[in-house]
Structures are given as structure tokens and as C-alpha cells.
Amino acid sequence: MEKTALSIRLYGDPVLRKKAKPVSHISDRHRQILSDMAKTMYAGSGIGLAAPQIGTSESMIVADIGSGLYKLINPKIMKREGWQVLDEGCLSIPGVCIKVKRARKITLTAQDEFSHPLTLEADDLLACVLQHEMEHLKGKLIVDYASIFERLKIKQKLAKLAQKIKDEKLPESKKESCQLQL
Ligand code: ZN
């Protein structure tokens, strides 16, 4: 478990648009991936990360908004209540910040890393983070929420980012335009 953070897949990488496969048998390999995901999230100053963001198309997410680390396998939303709108960034789309309307409170079911089923109620920021990460598992990204006006604004940024990925250059600036990095 000495491994350092993995590199985060960036916008334009096809794995981010793939639907993640459910995990049928939870093994040491999955526990290792979850541990690597947590390290990668912390290294990127993120508060959530989904497996596709490190190139693994399997249904796993991690989140920590400062109140403890969640490692969730096969998460599924059972109930949504209310609404909230937050400015969201994404570790896979550096420099982009988009207002996203999501449920204010959710109830989800999942399995922990030892296959135990669990039910989790989350509200406010944690609910936002978990919904963001679970959408990564469906191949959905925050840019899909952008209005036509916002799309025009971010189009150039995204093109630049795609070019940098093609050239295998990292984004020149780690400075993010958004507080929430998910
Ligand atoms: Zn994200």
C-alpha cells in the first residue's frame, strides 16, 4: 500500500464516458483500487472521486468532505428529496466550474469494501458530492449541465484541455476556478 497517487484521467479520455460495470465479487483488487482512489483524491485536494477517473470502469466511488472517508461499491440512489444548486468543479475537467442542480438529500444503498450492504443518508454538500460521483459511473459529466451560454464560454477551455491531453502535457496550471473538486 506504498503506492502514490495515480494520474487522473482528463476530459476527452473515453473512459470518462463509459458506463461503469457493477462489481460482482469484491476482492483485494477492489480494496486496493479504493485505497489508491482515496490517495489520488487527497493528493488532488478533491472531496470525491469515481473509479473511471483513474481509468477503472467499475462501480466504485470515494468521498470525504472532511467528516470521514466513504468507500462505496455499487452505489444506488433509492430516494431523492428537495433541491440545491452548487458550483461544481471536477478533477477530470480542470479550470471548469458549473452550477448543477441536484437533490438536497439522498438515500443510497451500496456495499462497503468488505461486501457488507449499507444504507446511507446524505444531505447538502455530501449529497452533492455523492451524486456527482455516481454520475461519473454513468459516464455523465458536469459539462453536460452547462447552458448554451456556458458551453460557449467553456468550449475553448475544453478544446485546449483536449489538445494538452493529446500532447500528453499536463494542464499548465493547478489553479482551479472552483472550490469543489469532485
Ligand atoms: Zn468529477
CSV table of all heavy atoms in Angstrom, one decimal, residues 53 89-92 132-133 136 141 182, ligand 1:
chain,number,residue,atom,x,y,z
A,53,GLN,N,-12.4,7.9,-13.2
A,53,GLN,CA,-11.4,9.0,-13.2
A,53,GLN,C,-9.9,8.5,-13.0
A,53,GLN,O,-9.0,9.3,-13.3
A,53,GLN,CB,-11.7,10.0,-12.1
A,53,GLN,CG,-13.0,10.8,-12.3
A,53,GLN,CD,-13.3,11.8,-11.3
A,53,GLN,OE1,-13.8,11.4,-10.2
A,53,GLN,NE2,-13.0,13.0,-11.5
A,89,GLY,N,-16.8,21.8,-9.5
A,89,GLY,CA,-15.7,21.6,-10.4
A,89,GLY,C,-15.5,20.1,-10.5
A,89,GLY,O,-16.2,19.3,-9.8
A,90,CYS,N,-14.5,19.6,-11.3
A,90,CYS,CA,-14.3,18.2,-11.5
A,90,CYS,C,-12.8,18.0,-11.7
A,90,CYS,O,-12.2,18.7,-12.5
A,90,CYS,CB,-15.1,17.7,-12.7
A,90,CYS,SG,-14.9,15.9,-13.0
A,91,LEU,N,-12.2,17.1,-11.0
A,91,LEU,CA,-10.8,16.8,-11.1
A,91,LEU,C,-10.4,16.4,-12.5
A,91,LEU,O,-9.3,16.5,-12.9
A,91,LEU,CB,-10.4,15.7,-10.1
A,91,LEU,CG,-10.4,16.1,-8.6
A,91,LEU,CD1,-10.3,14.9,-7.7
A,91,LEU,CD2,-9.3,17.1,-8.3
A,92,SER,N,-11.4,15.9,-13.3
A,92,SER,CA,-11.1,15.5,-14.6
A,92,SER,C,-11.3,16.6,-15.6
A,92,SER,O,-11.0,16.4,-16.8
A,92,SER,CB,-12.0,14.3,-15.0
A,92,SER,OG,-11.7,13.2,-14.2
A,132,HIS,N,-22.6,13.6,-7.8
A,132,HIS,CA,-21.6,13.9,-8.8
A,132,HIS,C,-20.8,12.6,-9.2
A,132,HIS,O,-20.7,12.3,-10.4
A,132,HIS,CB,-20.7,15.0,-8.3
A,132,HIS,CG,-19.5,15.4,-9.3
A,132,HIS,ND1,-19.4,16.6,-9.8
A,132,HIS,CD2,-18.5,14.6,-9.7
A,132,HIS,CE1,-18.3,16.6,-10.6
A,132,HIS,NE2,-17.7,15.4,-10.5
A,133,GLU,N,-20.3,11.9,-8.1
A,133,GLU,CA,-19.5,10.7,-8.4
A,133,GLU,C,-20.3,9.6,-9.0
A,133,GLU,O,-19.8,8.9,-9.9
A,133,GLU,CB,-18.9,10.3,-7.1
A,133,GLU,CG,-18.0,11.3,-6.3
A,133,GLU,CD,-17.0,12.0,-7.2
A,133,GLU,OE1,-16.6,11.5,-8.3
A,133,GLU,OE2,-16.7,13.2,-6.8
A,136,HIS,N,-20.5,10.0,-12.6
A,136,HIS,CA,-19.3,9.6,-13.3
A,136,HIS,C,-19.5,8.1,-13.7
A,136,HIS,O,-19.0,7.7,-14.7
A,136,HIS,CB,-18.1,9.7,-12.4
A,136,HIS,CG,-17.4,11.0,-12.5
A,136,HIS,ND1,-16.8,11.5,-13.7
A,136,HIS,CD2,-17.1,12.0,-11.6
A,136,HIS,CE1,-16.2,12.6,-13.4
A,136,HIS,NE2,-16.4,13.0,-12.2
A,141,LEU,N,-21.0,13.9,-17.1
A,141,LEU,CA,-20.0,14.9,-16.5
A,141,LEU,C,-20.7,16.3,-16.3
A,141,LEU,O,-21.8,16.5,-16.9
A,141,LEU,CB,-18.9,15.1,-17.5
A,141,LEU,CG,-18.1,13.8,-17.9
A,141,LEU,CD1,-17.1,14.1,-19.0
A,141,LEU,CD2,-17.3,13.3,-16.6
A,182,LEU,N,-14.4,17.5,-7.6
A,182,LEU,CA,-15.0,16.2,-7.4
A,182,LEU,C,-14.6,15.2,-8.5
A,182,LEU,O,-14.6,15.5,-9.6
A,182,LEU,CB,-16.6,16.3,-7.4
A,182,LEU,CG,-17.1,17.5,-6.6
A,182,LEU,CD1,-18.5,17.8,-6.9
A,182,LEU,CD2,-16.9,17.2,-5.1
B,1,ZN,ZN,-15.9,14.8,-11.3
